[in-house]
Amino acid sequence: TFLLAMTFTSCLKDDKYALDPSEGINVIEFLNVTAPVTGYNDPYVVYVPTTLEVVPEAEFTIGINYAGPVDLAPQDITVQLSEAPEAITDNNTKTGSSFVHPASSTFEFPSSVVIKKGEKTALVTVKVKPTQLNPTVSNAIGLKITSTSLGEISGNVGKVIYSIPIKSIWLGTYNY
């Protein structure tokens, strides 16, 4: 038993397998502003940031995150965003879901976001036009990070899906 204990304690002093933050790279990724609704092995992270009222315009917030061994941005980081309808198609094929990416005219978001020096995240507002969406389908917006001025784009959370259900006109409390 003594020999066995000594064998395992010697591993604790071995820095061969220890992670060295100076050798890591920071990534730019979408931030979990709300809890993801997908499983660990799903191809894309899916969020449900809000349930939309049937109104001409609504908003929800998304975030961009600087993650890795360096805790805060050492300089202003410019991040470019774009639509990713291919994420919807790919996700539907791989998971059997039935999301529909709405027309570009029904939502807007900034194409460029800046994570300020000394910060870790940047929050962004996405505007949606619920009255122009089809309430009979599962509307979802695919977004992706296309470039960044510092760090690498995350392979896991560099392309995400925002499911935006529309509140049913029949939702409510009824007395009979």
Side-chain angles (χ1 to χ4, degrees), residues 78-155:
T78 303
V79 180
Q80 300 296 325
L81 304 174
S82 71
E83 288 182 52
E86 71 279 3
I88 303 293
T89 305
D90 190 36
N91 190 72
N92 287 348
T93 302
K94 292 178 178 174
T95 66
S97 56
S98 57
F99 291 126
V100 174
H101 194 272
S104 299
S105 60
T106 62
F107 64 94
E108 60 184 63
F109 59 94
S111 61
S112 180
V113 178
V114 175
I115 300 173
K116 298 285 185 190
K117 177 181 179 177
E119 296 183 9
K120 190 172 185 67
T121 62
L123 298 179
V124 179
T125 299
V126 177
K127 294 181 181 181
V128 184
K129 299 173 184 171
T131 54
Q132 295 180 22
L133 297 174
N134 182 348
T136 65
V137 301
S138 297
N139 294 287
I141 300 170
L143 294 180
K144 65 183 170 185
I145 298 169
T146 56
S147 69
T148 176
S149 62
L150 182 70
E152 290 188 13
I153 299 170
S154 170

Side-chain angles (χ1 to χ4, degrees), residues 2-119:
F2 177 73
L3 183 58
L4 185 63
M6 289 307 293
T7 303
F8 287 121
T9 57
S10 68
C11 294
L12 296 175
K13 296 175 188 171
D14 186 2
D15 64 357
K16 180 179 170 186
Y17 300 106
L19 294 176
D20 183 0
S22 67
E23 293 180 19
I25 27 177
N26 276 56
V27 295
I28 304 297
E29 63 185 3
F30 284 94
L31 176 69
N32 291 344
V33 175
T34 60
V37 296
T38 44
Y40 181 76
N41 291 323
D42 286 351
Y44 300 94
V45 177
V46 177
Y47 301 99
V48 181
T50 187
T51 298
L52 300 171
E53 299 282 342
V54 183
V55 293
E57 188 172 283
E59 297 179 345
F60 63 89
T61 301
I62 65 171
I64 306 300
N65 190 42
Y66 178 68
V70 178
D71 191 38
L72 302 174
Q75 65 189 50
D76 283 0
I77 302 171
T78 303
V79 180
Q80 300 296 325
L81 304 174
S82 71
E83 288 182 52
E86 71 279 3
I88 303 293
T89 305
D90 190 36
N91 190 72
N92 287 348
T93 302
K94 292 178 178 174
T95 66
S97 56
S98 57
F99 291 126
V100 174
H101 194 272
S104 299
S105 60
T106 62
F107 64 94
E108 60 184 63
F109 59 94
S111 61
S112 180
V113 178
V114 175
I115 300 173
K116 298 285 185 190
K117 177 181 179 177
E119 296 183 9

